[in-house]
Amino acid sequence: MRHASSPLRAPFGKAGIWALAGASAAAAATAWWVTDSAPYPYAQHRLLDLPLPFLSWERLAEQLQPLPGERMLEIGPGTGLQSLQVAPRLGADGRLDIVDIQQEMLDHVMRRAAGSGLDTIAPTLADARELPFDDATFDAAYLVTALGEIPDVPAALSELRRVLKPTGRLVVGEFFDRHQIRPAALARQANAVGLHVIRQSGPALAYFALLRPCTSGSADRPHAGAADRCAVTIDS
């Protein structure tokens, strides 16, 4: 007499299988969040227009303080959320250079600029680690949630230091995501290439930092030596 065969059972049952699948997905997502360093894809560009807590245009302006007639540089402009605010404040005699490694992003910003009647934005397809500009070209430069996307952050900071004027300023905005450069890491890497963090605004998870070349004076420490000004540590 034959006995009906029992169906093959998974050792953990259905609930265990779903739990295992969920854990695997979570692990994969965590690995992507922590290790992926690719720039934000243009296919998701609409998300770049969403405001980020503590990284508003008003907070950027407090640190950047754009002035008419200045020449500025933006690395990783995205869809132009900041570019379209900065360019008008530079006036007809000023200029905003935007640099990105994705032509689609540059084209998007330029379409928006044309629609707003702005003709003082100049796009350049380039890598932030090898900027195609002469030394001491810019009065100021800024990056908002872009520095951590660059594979070699020290190289990018070194290039920014090179193209800034001795009295120039650099503003870095960072938000808590998989690319974020924490304040202490920014200060350490900036010091190594001759940039000094003057001040930071906002919490560590979403902050703006103002930096200057170590050879330039600062309003709060006008008589400090260059070496001293490049020995600042900011808690993470």
Side-chain angles (χ1 to χ4, degrees):
M1 180 177 179
R2 292 185 177 181
H3 297 281
S5 59
S6 300
L8 182 63
R9 293 184 179 180
F12 304 111
K14 289 184 178 180
I17 292 175
W18 282 111
L20 184 61
S24 298
T30 300
W32 169 80
W33 178 275
V34 171
T35 63
D36 182 70
S37 60
Y40 209 90
Y42 180 73
Q44 300 178 30
H45 66 273
R46 288 182 176 82
L47 296 177
L48 295 177
D49 283 332
L50 298 176
L52 293 174
F54 299 103
L55 296 184
S56 65
W57 153 247
E58 291 77 15
R59 286 184 175 271
L60 172 61
E62 288 176 4
Q63 304 294 335
L64 190 61
Q65 297 184 7
L67 297 173
E70 288 190 318
R71 185 174 180 184
M72 287 195 176
L73 171 65
E74 179 178 11
I75 304 294
T79 58
L81 190 63
Q82 312 299 343
S83 313
L84 300 182
Q85 295 284 351
V86 172
R89 288 160 175 80
L90 302 179
D93 295 328
R95 171 170 162 170
L96 175 64
D97 289 84
I98 58 173
V99 168
D100 205 295
I101 60 171
Q102 299 183 77
Q103 186 65 50
E104 297 92 339
M105 291 293 192
L106 296 173
D107 293 342
H108 190 103
V109 177
M110 297 310 294
R111 286 194 297 270
R112 294 186 67 180
S116 299
L118 292 172
D119 60 1
T120 55
I121 299 179
T124 299
L125 184 67
D127 191 317
R129 297 168 294 181
E130 297 181 7
L131 294 172
F133 304 108
D134 293 336
D135 295 358
T137 294
F138 297 99
D139 297 290
Y142 64 97
L143 312 83
V144 181
T145 67
L147 184 60
E149 295 183 354
I150 302 171
D152 190 342
V153 171
L157 289 172
S158 180
E159 275 292 88
L160 285 163
R161 169 67 179 84
R162 180 183 66 79
V163 301
L164 278 176
K165 294 179 179 179
T167 56
R169 55 205 187 275
L170 169 65
V171 176
V172 174
E174 285 290 299
F175 183 75
F176 178 66
D177 63 9
R178 66 189 188 278
H179 300 132
Q180 192 199 32
I181 305 298
R182 301 282 287 178
L186 174 63
R188 182 176 62 255
Q189 294 180 74
N191 287 349
V193 300
L195 289 166
H196 164 58
V197 177
I198 299 293
R199 62 175 176 265
Q200 175 189 322
S201 66
L205 295 181
Y207 69 92
F208 278 115
L210 171 65
L211 302 89
R212 288 186 182 273
C214 295
T215 54
S216 67
S218 61
D220 54 338
R221 303 176 69 197
H223 303 297
D228 182 41
R229 289 199 304 272
C230 269
V232 174
T233 300
I234 291 189
D235 295 334
S236 59

